[in-house]
Amino acid sequence: MSESTTDTTGLTHQYSAQVAADLETNLKEQERISGDVAALQQQLAALQHDHSVLVNIQQALGVTETTKEPTPSAETAAVPSPRQKTKTAPRSKQAARKTTTAQERTTAKKSTAKSETKTAQPTLVELIRQHLTEQGEPRSAAEISTALGQAHPERDIKTKVVRVTLEGLVARSQAQRAKQGSSVFYTAPEAETTPAPDAQPEGS
């Protein structure tokens, strides 16, 4: 009998401890939920207060029963003004596009004209040879560059480049070089002394 009494006492202690722990957990949970409920009640009270304030303001403005369904008149009244703006906007864009297109066409025409004039322009060698042939008298490199610069102002003709070109023509027997004092003059080759294209200068 003593053993059964001991076992019963041990089980009673175990159950008592478990129940005490459950009770403590239950109380803590009740406190937590009570705190949450209190916070939610405060939030609900604040929302109700805001709602009453907003209703009073709405009534003061003379607007009633518009909280649930938005009024279509306000929306339709605000629609035409943006539509009118969107109608006028494409016109300005079209005008800008037309202006831009016209400018691009003008620029393209100018660039095409420039490229055509560049391709149609003779080379500096041809200009110098033509100038010497037309003059028929000795001309210095400075005089030739000045004359060509006046005849072709769109080209940057420099005396140094003209002199080098003239020396190249002399080397190919396509121009004659004569020195008078410290000055050097150039003339077109004489017809009877002009060598054939296949002939090479002497000493080469």
Side-chain angles (χ1 to χ4, degrees):
M1 295 293 295
S2 59
E3 292 180 359
S4 61
T5 304
T6 303
D7 293 339
T8 303
T9 303
L11 291 173
T12 302
H13 285 298
Q14 289 179 2
Y15 284 124
S16 298
Q18 183 67 35
V19 170
D22 292 342
L23 284 173
E24 185 178 1
T25 303
N26 187 283
L27 290 174
K28 289 181 179 179
E29 191 69 15
Q30 288 183 22
E31 291 177 357
R32 184 184 66 80
I33 294 175
S34 297
D36 294 342
V37 170
L40 291 173
Q41 287 179 348
Q42 291 179 357
Q43 293 180 4
L44 179 60
L47 289 172
Q48 290 175 348
H49 176 72
D50 293 341
H51 181 268
S52 62
V53 172
L54 291 172
V55 170
N56 292 332
I57 294 174
Q58 192 177 52
Q59 291 177 354
L61 294 173
V63 182
T64 57
E65 297 180 358
T66 57
T67 56
K68 293 183 180 180
E69 295 181 1
T71 55
S73 59
E75 295 179 356
T76 53
V79 171
S81 56
R83 287 183 180 175
Q84 290 176 358
K85 291 181 181 179
T86 54
K87 286 181 181 179
T88 55
R91 293 181 182 177
S92 60
K93 288 182 180 179
Q94 289 177 359
R97 288 177 182 174
K98 288 181 180 179
T99 306
T100 306
T101 306
Q103 292 177 353
E104 290 177 353
R105 289 178 181 176
T106 305
T107 306
K109 288 181 180 179
K110 289 182 179 179
S111 60
T112 305
K114 288 182 179 179
S115 61
E116 289 178 355
T117 52
K118 286 183 180 179
T119 54
Q121 286 180 353
T123 62
L124 183 60
V125 175
E126 294 174 352
L127 290 176
I128 293 175
R129 291 177 60 184
Q130 182 180 0
H131 181 75
L132 292 176
T133 304
E134 291 175 353
Q135 293 300 318
E137 60 182 3
R139 306 284 288 179
S140 65
E143 292 173 343
I144 296 173
S145 62
T146 301
L148 293 179
Q150 292 176 354
H152 304 278
E154 73 280 358
R155 302 182 65 166
D156 186 14
I157 300 176
K158 297 181 180 180
T159 305
K160 185 176 181 180
V161 178
V162 172
R163 184 178 294 108
V164 173
T165 306
L166 286 167
E167 292 296 332
L169 291 174
V170 172
R172 295 194 299 270
S173 300
Q174 296 179 1
Q176 292 183 351
R177 181 174 180 269
K179 190 172 183 180
Q180 299 179 2
S182 59
S183 301
V184 179
F185 295 91
Y186 301 89
T187 56
E190 296 179 358
E192 61 271 11
T193 59
T194 302
D198 295 335
Q200 295 182 354
E202 296 179 2
S204 59

